[in-house]
Amino acid sequence: MILRAIRDDITTLHVDAIVNAANCTLLGGGGVDGAIHRAAGPLLLEACRRFNGCPTGEARITPGFRLPAKFVIHTPGPVWHGGTRGEPALLRDCYRNSLRLAEENACASIAFPCISTGVYRYPKFEAARIAVETVRAWEGELPQEALFCCFSDDQLELYRQLLNR
């Protein structure tokens, strides 16, 4: 799989699937979650309501609606509590379950935001390390390309360093 880090607005990417760093309700929120819901339009909220939520670390898929991406994969990341409540395993599950849904839906390309590093306070370096290691270890046929879509220059630099190891 080709792995790349970019600095961009995930809602504008022409990929098969974008990942939404959702909350457990899947009903929209702040940060990337709110941006994806606004860009996709009201049908995304309607589609998400049918799931009746999603546990942390699991993932659900919806159409992209008004987004250039065909699909949105929603995954609630863990809230950071010092690493003592299974946060690393839950974050790995977010990436694995998103990749599984992408493969099941024939997605050749996927874009990930920096899951749990905003209001959920996951340490940025640890979250990026887990993201890169987990996606790099994926053994599925699809997706063939994964983008780590960063919101800031410091996040982009962190991902680029990890990808160059």
Side-chain angles (χ1 to χ4, degrees):
M1 182 185 326
I2 297 166
L3 304 178
R4 290 190 303 132
I6 61 170
R7 182 168 187 243
D8 211 332
D9 175 349
I10 200 167
T11 67
T12 67
L13 299 180
H14 292 266
V15 292
D16 291 329
I18 62 170
V19 176
N20 180 14
N23 60 48
C24 289
T25 70
L26 301 185
L27 301 180
V32 72
D33 189 15
I36 289 171
H37 272 267
R38 284 188 299 277
L43 292 177
L44 181 62
L45 181 58
E46 239 177 79
C48 286
R49 278 197 174 109
R50 296 185 190 121
F51 293 119
N52 293 315
C54 179
T56 300
E58 291 187 19
R60 304 290 184 264
I61 192 167
T62 63
F65 299 105
R66 294 189 325 211
L67 295 164
K70 293 179 196 170
F71 299 103
V72 179
I73 297 172
H74 310 266
T75 186
V79 175
W80 181 252
H81 294 285
T84 59
R85 298 186 187 173
E87 296 97 302
L90 289 167
L91 189 57
R92 277 186 208 93
D93 287 345
C94 288
Y95 287 94
R96 283 189 197 114
N97 287 320
S98 295
L99 289 164
R100 178 184 51 77
L101 282 176
E103 184 171 52
E104 288 172 2
N105 288 274
C107 296
S109 56
I110 188 170
F112 291 97
C114 302
I115 299 171
S116 285
T117 61
V119 295
Y120 286 7
R121 301 177 321 276
Y122 210 107
K124 287 178 176 53
F125 177 80
E126 277 305 303
R129 185 186 59 74
I130 288 169
V132 169
E133 287 176 1
T134 305
V135 174
R136 208 176 245 158
W138 179 250
E139 294 181 355
E141 299 272 326
L142 292 172
Q144 296 167 334
E145 180 180 36
L147 302 176
F148 296 103
C149 187
C150 302
F151 186 72
S152 66
D153 287 332
D154 63 320
Q155 285 177 327
L156 177 62
E157 183 58 30
L158 186 60
Y159 275 87
R160 285 187 172 160
Q161 287 174 8
L162 288 164
L163 288 170
N164 287 330
R165 284 188 180 176

